[in-house]
Amino acid sequence: MYSLNRRRFLLTASAAATLPKLARAQSSIDLGLPGGNGVHTLTKAGEFGQKSEGLILQRTRAPLLETPMSVFDEGVFTPNDKFYVRWHWADIPDSVDAEAFRLTVRGHTGKTLSLSLRELMALPRFEIAAVNQCSGNSRGFFAPRVPGGEWGNGAMGNARWTGVRLKDLLDHAGVKPGARQVRFNGLDQPTSPDGPDFMKSLTIDHARDGEVMVAYAMNGRPLPLLNGFPLRLVVPGWYATYWVKMLNDIEVLDKEDENFWMKTAYKIPDRSFATMRPDEKDVPVVPISRMLPRSFITNIPAQSRIAATAPVKARGIAFGGDSGVKEVDFSTDDGKSWQTAKLGKDEGTYGFRRWEADFTLPGPGAHTLKVRCTNTRGETQPDQPNWNPSGYMRSVIEATPVEAV
Amino acid sequence: MKKLAFSLTALLAFGSIAALAAEAPKSVKIDLSNPGPYFTGDGSDAINANCTACHSAEMVLAQPALSRAAWQAEVGKMMKVYKASVDEQDIPAIVEYLSKVRGNGS
């Protein structure tokens, strides 16, 4: 798990509260991945446009920036300048002209729409809090390790998204009978001449569910360019691969989308928790879709030193995946026994929820802290980690080893 | 376009007093010109020549230690799936470099 590079801290109830701020002064971070090689430099202010200093630099081009766990300790809404960044292709426009930009809605529709930002912003407004999580968040913790973006746990963030319902746009364009899917494309382009343009699709029913939306603001401000300015699709409860950035084209299809990013990429084993054995062959696969419950301790990094027999407060975040958080449990004995954590304010079904638990470690030595989320569907995080060759959908109960002194 | 304008009016009416307080959208420009780091050291010419048109080096160097076959497969994926224009003659040198800096000895 997440640990601060070459530092160990003695945690007391008061020290725990101030700990995360120390991370910012550092120039690198060790994600503590199994097998190592998890040290990354941190971004400098201004290095990536509107993004702040202190993000975990996974790749400069095409940008991959990870949010440090300490940021999630500061509140349930992830600040725009610290929100993680993930692009497939490096051909990303470095500017967008807000007056000239148009969003097209076309295809198997009665008419074609070409909407300016002003027109879009004048439509009925919809707002929702929702977690945006990369399919491969936490890939670096897979064992055995798999190739890909070697993320720690910070390829996720929660924001309050403001925009318009996709349903309203589709109704306005007039979806024709026989529509099957809706495909979304953004302004980014492949950097190789025949490379597959990044596009994703949803079924027509999902697209019209009244929650899928086109967002022009996150946390009350325009999207940072690297998070998809001026528009991005928001698919509450589903992995971020569907949340197409710099969205400028919506196409209603009368057949199944066969583009590479739907037909071939982002496939998971068709099993609960998307798991398989590394030696298995020919496992049936399906497109990745809804998220699962997860939870994290945000104020106690792994390998922290904690005062034994003194009261300490653990806190963190949880989310239910594609449903709300029902319960969060906390353990100080590696999951042998659990106490129910106190939940913070409910800011929306699909968002982060704060949790808190008071504990006292019985005596000196090694201890393992764990946190577990159960969602309102009744799904609970599993004890055992999942595995698949793409490193998708990690949702295991995370363990935080600490030392009581 | 006339039809579109009409429809938009209809949609606006349907939205009635929809919060029109939306701030006027402002254009945005950021600097994305930093190419990021290249591959360094002995044998890095081929990988720099063929791979860095699309991406900087960090994510490759952050991979777990992989077998030569796994690196060969990664290069193959870049070519087949992402249509990277890699010179066939350079493939052995690229795989050699990757196996040297991020290999697992097998």
Side-chain angles (χ1 to χ4, degrees):
Chain A
M1 267 212 74
Y2 165 80
S3 67
L4 298 174
N5 205 15
R6 282 179 281 125
R7 273 176 184 268
R8 306 185 100 197
F9 295 96
L10 181 64
L11 275 176
T12 64
S14 59
T18 57
L19 176 68
K21 295 201 171 61
L22 295 172
R24 195 175 289 179
Q26 302 187 174
S27 61
S28 71
I29 193 167
D30 187 349
L31 296 173
L33 310 182
N37 203 25
V39 177
H40 293 272
T41 58
L42 300 176
T43 58
K44 298 185 231 4
E47 204 178 357
F48 289 92
Q50 300 132 312
K51 309 311 280 189
S52 83
E53 79 283 6
L55 301 181
I56 301 164
L57 179 51
Q58 292 269 5
R59 186 174 65 193
T60 302
R61 176 176 56 92
L64 300 179
L65 309 176
E66 177 171 345
T67 305
M69 188 54 64
S70 56
V71 170
F72 303 119
D73 195 55
E74 294 165 16
V76 292
F77 290 106
T78 314
N80 291 3
D81 64 349
K82 295 175 182 170
F83 210 98
Y84 88 101
V85 168
R86 191 267 186 267
W87 291 86
H88 294 88
W89 294 112
D91 186 352
I92 304 162
D94 62 0
S95 66
V96 175
D97 181 329
E99 293 299 331
F101 179 88
R102 293 291 181 275
L103 171 67
T104 304
V105 185
R106 64 188 177 92
H108 201 61
T109 56
K111 54 182 176 291
T112 293
L113 308 182
S114 176
L115 300 168
S116 69
L117 290 177
R118 282 176 193 280
E119 287 167 331
L120 204 75
M121 290 165 88
L123 298 179
R125 187 180 289 202
F126 181 65
E127 202 164 78
I128 198 167
V131 174
N132 172 289
Q133 180 183 214
C134 178
S135 307
N137 188 26
S138 319
R139 180 183 287 116
F141 297 113
F142 268 55
R145 294 279 299 272
V146 294
E150 302 297 329
W151 300 107
N153 290 323
M156 62 175 185
N158 180 43
R160 200 184 297 284
W161 308 93
T162 306
V164 301
R165 286 184 178 87
L166 178 59
K167 179 180 190 300
D168 288 348
L169 297 179
L170 293 174
D171 285 353
H172 183 53
V175 173
K176 285 186 186 166
R180 299 271 302 276
Q181 290 195 318
V182 183
R183 179 159 72 190
F184 307 92
N185 196 359
L187 295 172
D188 53 326
Q189 291 286 321
T191 39
S192 50
D194 301 313
D197 190 9
F198 182 75
M199 299 185 283
K200 295 295 287 190
S201 297
L202 298 173
T203 64
I204 186 72
D205 287 348
H206 190 181
R208 299 174 78 167
D209 75 355
E211 287 188 328
V212 176
M213 65 179 289
V214 174
Y216 49 72
M218 59 191 278
N219 297 322
R221 302 285 307 149
L223 308 168
L225 186 132
L226 288 175
N227 293 114
F229 181 86
L231 302 174
R232 91 178 290 176
L233 193 71
V234 170
V235 188
W238 278 39
Y239 282 97
T241 181
Y242 293 96
W243 300 41
V244 172
K245 297 183 288 297
M246 286 192 178
L247 175 68
N248 74 326
D249 186 50
I250 298 175
E251 182 184 6
V252 178
L253 306 176
D254 61 359
K255 54 185 183 319
E256 199 91 350
D257 184 8
E258 302 244 308
N259 107 76
F260 165 78
W261 298 100
M262 288 302 296
K263 194 181 175 185
T264 309
Y266 285 100
K267 290 290 182 63
I268 55 164
D270 187 11
R271 295 178 182 169
S272 58
F273 302 113
T275 198
M276 58 182 274
R277 292 192 318 272
D279 61 353
E280 276 185 282
K281 298 268 182 277
D282 303 319
V283 176
V285 294
V286 292
I288 196 167
S289 59
R290 68 186 194 92
M291 296 194 290
L292 298 170
R294 297 194 76 181
S295 57
F296 301 90
I297 299 170
T298 55
N299 70 328
I300 306 175
Q303 315 304 341
S304 295
R305 299 174 82 194
I306 298 181
T309 70
V312 178
K313 193 180 284 298
R315 64 166 180 258
I317 49 165
F319 59 103
D322 72 340
S323 68
V325 172
K326 182 177 162 206
E327 186 176 310
V328 172
D329 303 301
F330 178 72
S331 171
T332 58
D333 57 6
D334 199 18
K336 287 182 207 55
S337 64
W338 297 89
Q339 58 172 297
T340 305
K342 191 178 139 202
L343 295 181
K345 188 182 170 199
D346 183 356
E347 301 276 7
T349 299
Y350 303 102
F352 284 154
R353 189 91 180 256
R354 179 82 97 165
W355 63 266
E356 253 181 39
D358 296 307
F359 70 100
T360 303
L361 292 177
H367 298 269
T368 299
L369 310 181
K370 285 187 166 176
V371 59
R372 174 180 79 184
C373 176
T374 301
N375 69 17
T376 53
R377 286 173 178 260
E379 295 170 321
T380 301
Q381 290 181 253
D383 294 320
Q384 295 301 317
N386 71 325
W387 191 91
N388 55 65
S390 300
Y392 292 148
M393 290 183 78
R394 180 174 167 95
S395 71
V396 66
I397 297 169
E398 301 290 346
T400 303
V402 297
E403 192 189 346
V405 292
Chain B
M1 281 315 282
K2 196 173 173 187
K3 203 169 164 191
L4 172 63
F6 169 77
S7 312
L8 276 174
T9 311
L11 186 57
L12 279 170
F14 144 70
S16 63
I17 342 175
L20 291 168
E23 55 183 299
K26 288 195 187 71
S27 298
V28 169
K29 180 169 174 59
I30 68 169
D31 184 359
L32 287 176
S33 63
N34 180 5
Y38 292 87
F39 298 91
T40 57
D42 287 349
S44 58
D45 289 353
I47 193 168
N48 278 324
N50 288 280
C51 305
T52 58
C54 286
H55 58 78
S56 53
E58 304 103 316
M59 179 176 145
V60 175
L61 298 173
Q63 293 304 298
L66 299 174
S67 67
R68 184 173 288 269
W71 279 123
Q72 182 87 39
E74 284 299 312
V75 174
K77 183 169 106 179
M78 293 299 144
M79 295 172 68
K80 278 196 236 27
V81 173
Y82 301 108
K83 314 292 182 194
S85 36
V86 174
D87 189 334
E88 297 271 352
Q89 292 181 352
D90 285 342
I91 296 172
I94 296 168
V95 173
E96 178 61 29
Y97 178 84
L98 291 167
S99 302
K100 189 181 72 180
V101 299
R102 290 306 305 150
N104 68 0
S106 68

